[in-house]
PDB file of all heavy atoms in Angstrom:
ATOM      1  N   PRO X 268       3.634  27.148   8.745  1.00 97.00           N
ATOM      2  CA  PRO X 268       3.258  26.066   9.654  1.00 97.00           C
ATOM      3  C   PRO X 268       2.955  24.755   8.952  1.00 97.00           C
ATOM      4  O   PRO X 268       2.906  23.714   9.602  1.00 97.00           O
ATOM      5  CB  PRO X 268       2.018  26.611  10.369  1.00 97.00           C
ATOM      6  CG  PRO X 268       1.465  27.633   9.457  1.00 97.00           C
ATOM      7  CD  PRO X 268       2.652  28.225   8.725  1.00 97.00           C
ATOM      8  N   THR X 269       2.779  24.776   7.643  1.00 98.00           N
ATOM      9  CA  THR X 269       2.509  23.536   6.905  1.00 98.00           C
ATOM     10  C   THR X 269       3.771  22.885   6.351  1.00 98.00           C
ATOM     11  O   THR X 269       3.686  21.856   5.687  1.00 98.00           O
ATOM     12  CB  THR X 269       1.522  23.782   5.744  1.00 98.00           C
ATOM     13  OG1 THR X 269       2.169  24.567   4.741  1.00 98.00           O
ATOM     14  CG2 THR X 269       0.250  24.451   6.216  1.00 98.00           C
ATOM     15  N   ALA X 270       4.924  23.436   6.605  1.00 98.00           N
ATOM     16  CA  ALA X 270       6.172  22.928   6.020  1.00 98.00           C
ATOM     17  C   ALA X 270       6.723  21.729   6.804  1.00 98.00           C
ATOM     18  O   ALA X 270       7.888  21.668   7.145  1.00 98.00           O
ATOM     19  CB  ALA X 270       7.205  24.036   5.912  1.00 98.00           C
ATOM     20  N   HIS X 271       5.858  20.762   7.058  1.00 98.00           N
ATOM     21  CA  HIS X 271       6.286  19.516   7.684  1.00 98.00           C
ATOM     22  C   HIS X 271       7.006  18.653   6.650  1.00 98.00           C
ATOM     23  O   HIS X 271       6.831  18.846   5.433  1.00 98.00           O
ATOM     24  CB  HIS X 271       5.081  18.744   8.215  1.00 98.00           C
ATOM     25  CG  HIS X 271       4.436  19.381   9.409  1.00 98.00           C
ATOM     26  ND1 HIS X 271       3.522  18.715  10.192  1.00 98.00           N
ATOM     27  CD2 HIS X 271       4.564  20.618   9.962  1.00 98.00           C
ATOM     28  CE1 HIS X 271       3.122  19.498  11.168  1.00 98.00           C
ATOM     29  NE2 HIS X 271       3.732  20.666  11.037  1.00 98.00           N
ATOM     30  N   ALA X 272       7.777  17.698   7.111  1.00 98.00           N
ATOM     31  CA  ALA X 272       8.572  16.847   6.222  1.00 98.00           C
ATOM     32  C   ALA X 272       7.695  16.160   5.172  1.00 98.00           C
ATOM     33  O   ALA X 272       8.045  16.128   3.984  1.00 98.00           O
ATOM     34  CB  ALA X 272       9.326  15.802   7.042  1.00 98.00           C
ATOM     35  N   GLU X 273       6.549  15.637   5.601  1.00 98.00           N
ATOM     36  CA  GLU X 273       5.669  14.925   4.672  1.00 98.00           C
ATOM     37  C   GLU X 273       5.150  15.856   3.590  1.00 98.00           C
ATOM     38  O   GLU X 273       5.123  15.494   2.401  1.00 98.00           O
ATOM     39  CB  GLU X 273       4.464  14.321   5.418  1.00 98.00           C
ATOM     40  CG  GLU X 273       4.822  13.364   6.516  1.00 98.00           C
ATOM     41  CD  GLU X 273       4.934  13.981   7.904  1.00 98.00           C
ATOM     42  OE1 GLU X 273       5.389  15.152   8.018  1.00 98.00           O
ATOM     43  OE2 GLU X 273       4.585  13.301   8.876  1.00 98.00           O
ATOM     44  N   ILE X 274       4.743  17.042   3.991  1.00 98.00           N
ATOM     45  CA  ILE X 274       4.201  18.021   3.039  1.00 98.00           C
ATOM     46  C   ILE X 274       5.290  18.448   2.063  1.00 98.00           C
ATOM     47  O   ILE X 274       5.050  18.560   0.850  1.00 98.00           O
ATOM     48  CB  ILE X 274       3.621  19.250   3.777  1.00 98.00           C
ATOM     49  CG1 ILE X 274       2.538  18.845   4.777  1.00 98.00           C
ATOM     50  CG2 ILE X 274       3.129  20.295   2.794  1.00 98.00           C
ATOM     51  CD1 ILE X 274       1.270  18.281   4.194  1.00 98.00           C
ATOM     52  N   GLN X 275       6.495  18.664   2.583  1.00 98.00           N
ATOM     53  CA  GLN X 275       7.607  19.058   1.713  1.00 98.00           C
ATOM     54  C   GLN X 275       7.875  17.965   0.668  1.00 98.00           C
ATOM     55  O   GLN X 275       8.101  18.263  -0.513  1.00 98.00           O
ATOM     56  CB  GLN X 275       8.868  19.316   2.540  1.00 98.00           C
ATOM     57  CG  GLN X 275       8.726  20.439   3.551  1.00 98.00           C
ATOM     58  CD  GLN X 275       8.617  21.800   2.904  1.00 98.00           C
ATOM     59  OE1 GLN X 275       7.581  22.170   2.367  1.00 98.00           O
ATOM     60  NE2 GLN X 275       9.692  22.539   2.949  1.00 98.00           N
ATOM     61  N   ALA X 276       7.865  16.706   1.103  1.00 98.00           N
ATOM     62  CA  ALA X 276       8.095  15.604   0.161  1.00 98.00           C
ATOM     63  C   ALA X 276       6.965  15.520  -0.867  1.00 98.00           C
ATOM     64  O   ALA X 276       7.220  15.325  -2.061  1.00 98.00           O
ATOM     65  CB  ALA X 276       8.238  14.284   0.919  1.00 98.00           C
ATOM     66  N   LEU X 277       5.719  15.691  -0.430  1.00 98.00           N
ATOM     67  CA  LEU X 277       4.588  15.642  -1.366  1.00 98.00           C
ATOM     68  C   LEU X 277       4.651  16.792  -2.370  1.00 98.00           C
ATOM     69  O   LEU X 277       4.371  16.597  -3.559  1.00 98.00           O
ATOM     70  CB  LEU X 277       3.265  15.677  -0.607  1.00 98.00           C
ATOM     71  CG  LEU X 277       2.919  14.437   0.213  1.00 98.00           C
ATOM     72  CD1 LEU X 277       1.646  14.675   1.025  1.00 98.00           C
ATOM     73  CD2 LEU X 277       2.786  13.218  -0.666  1.00 98.00           C
TER      74      LEU X 277
END
Side-chain angles (χ1 to χ4, degrees):
T269 69
H271 290 193
E273 302 93 325
I274 303 293
Q275 299 291 76
L277 291 174

